[in-house]
Amino acid sequence: MTLKKLRKKYKMWLTLAFVFLVLMFVLMRLQVDGWVEICMGATFLCLVMVIYVMLRYGRCRVCYNLLDPYVLFHGGHCKFCGTPVEDGEEKRLIFRNMREMTEDEINGFLQDGWKIGCAVDTEKEQQELLEALSHSKETGFPQFVLVYEKNVLIGYLFLYGEEGQTWIVHNADEKTYEQEKEMLAYGRDLCRSLGSEKLAESFQKQLGEVKRMGKSHREAWEAWTAEKSGNKKEN
C-alpha cells in the first residue's frame, strides 16, 4: 500500500469515528434509546480500524518498526534505520529473508532455484547453502533474500558484506524495468539500514543506470541485440 492510499484509508476511519462519536453524544442529549448503543459500537469499530491500519501498514519497509505518525503523513526518515519515508509506486514484490523462512520454504527454494538461475543441484551444494544461511545475521552481513511476485519465486539478493571479492550477487538485471528498480531500491535500503554505505552506493549506482536508460538491463541488452542483428541483415 502506498502512503497516499494509507493516508486516505487512515483519514477515512478517523473521520467516521469522529462522526459517530458526535452523533452518539447528540442522540444521548436527545435521549434516543437504541441508536446510542449502535453509534457507540460503530465508533469503537472505527477506532479499532484506525489502530489496525497503523499497525498493519504504518511500518518502515526495511526494518519493519512502527513509523512516527508525523513522519508517516508528512515525510521524513525512519528513526530506527534512517530509511527515507516517501510516496512511491505500489510495491509489487515481496522480499523474504531466508533466515526467517521455514524448512519447507527453504526446501522449495532448493527445488525451484534453477528457475531463477540459482541452481542448487547436489546434496553437497545444499549443505553448503544451509551452512551459509546459519551464519546470516539479523543486524549485519551476510543477508540472503528471496524475491516473490504473486507467490512465485522470481529473484534473489545475496549480500555478503564488504569483505572479500564477491560482495553482492543478484539477478535484478534479468528482470523487467519495474522489477529491477524495486529490487535494487530494496537492496540499497537494506544495506543502508545495516550501516554499509559502500554497498548501498553500489545498488544506487545500478539503480541510476536503469532510470537513465528508462528500461531494464535485460531489455536494453535485447534491444541492442535486435539492432545488431538488423544491421547485419542490411549489410
Side-chain angles (χ1 to χ4, degrees):
M1 179 182 291
T2 61
L3 294 185
K4 184 177 181 180
K5 290 184 178 179
L6 173 60
R7 294 186 188 110
K8 185 177 181 181
K9 189 179 289 288
Y10 177 82
K11 290 178 180 178
M12 177 192 74
W13 286 111
L14 197 61
T15 301
L16 286 174
F18 178 76
V19 169
F20 281 118
L21 184 64
V22 171
L23 186 59
M24 181 182 71
F25 282 116
V26 170
L27 293 174
M28 286 176 65
R29 290 184 65 86
L30 295 175
Q31 296 182 346
V32 178
D33 296 329
W35 285 100
V36 174
E37 289 77 8
I38 294 175
C39 289
M40 184 182 298
T43 302
F44 178 75
L45 173 64
C46 291
L47 289 175
V48 168
M49 289 306 299
V50 168
I51 296 171
Y52 169 77
V53 168
M54 290 297 293
L55 293 177
R56 175 67 177 82
Y57 300 107
R59 296 177 180 272
C60 175
R61 67 178 185 273
V62 173
C63 69
Y64 301 108
N65 282 301
L66 285 174
L67 294 167
D68 183 271
Y70 181 85
V71 172
L72 185 64
F73 293 110
H74 300 281
H77 295 77
C78 172
K79 65 181 180 181
F80 296 98
C81 68
T83 301
V85 179
E86 54 190 14
D87 279 317
E89 299 175 356
E90 190 76 47
K91 299 300 181 185
R92 299 175 176 84
L93 307 181
I94 297 174
F95 297 88
R96 299 285 308 282
N97 196 305
M98 295 179 73
R99 182 185 64 253
E100 302 167 351
M101 296 174 69
T102 65
E103 186 176 343
D104 289 339
E105 291 171 330
I106 294 293
N107 290 332
F109 164 71
L110 296 178
Q111 294 175 3
D112 298 337
W114 62 271
K115 296 179 182 178
I116 58 173
C118 190
V120 184
D121 299 320
T122 66
E123 187 174 337
K124 181 181 179 181
E125 290 176 337
Q126 292 184 10
Q127 287 300 120
E128 289 176 349
L129 175 61
L130 294 175
E131 177 67 20
L133 289 175
S134 68
H135 296 298
S136 182
K137 299 178 180 178
E138 192 168 343
T139 58
F141 295 101
Q143 294 283 326
F144 300 94
V145 178
L146 297 182
V147 187
Y148 294 83
E149 184 174 50
K150 296 179 180 178
N151 295 322
V152 176
L153 177 65
I154 68 164
Y156 58 91
L157 294 165
F158 293 167
L159 315 178
Y160 292 93
E162 298 183 1
E163 298 181 1
Q165 295 181 345
T166 304
W167 297 343
I168 299 170
V169 179
H170 63 73
N171 68 337
D173 56 347
E174 301 172 2
K175 304 294 127 187
T176 65
Y177 177 62
E178 297 298 335
Q179 289 171 342
E180 183 170 6
K181 282 198 306 178
E182 193 168 340
M183 287 177 67
L184 293 175
Y186 179 88
R188 175 200 62 196
D189 293 341
L190 178 59
C191 289
R192 189 167 289 158
S193 71
L194 296 172
S196 177
E197 284 297 328
K198 192 174 186 178
L199 297 187
E201 183 59 31
S202 177
F203 274 110
Q204 182 57 45
K205 183 178 179 181
Q206 296 175 58
L207 182 59
E209 290 176 355
V210 172
K211 289 183 176 181
R212 283 194 298 273
M213 291 189 299
K215 59 185 71 173
S216 69
H217 282 91
R218 187 195 74 185
E219 293 164 346
W221 169 258
E222 291 174 349
W224 179 82
T225 304
E227 183 180 354
K228 190 176 180 180
S229 299
N231 291 336
K232 282 185 177 180
K233 290 180 180 179
E234 289 177 2
N235 295 332

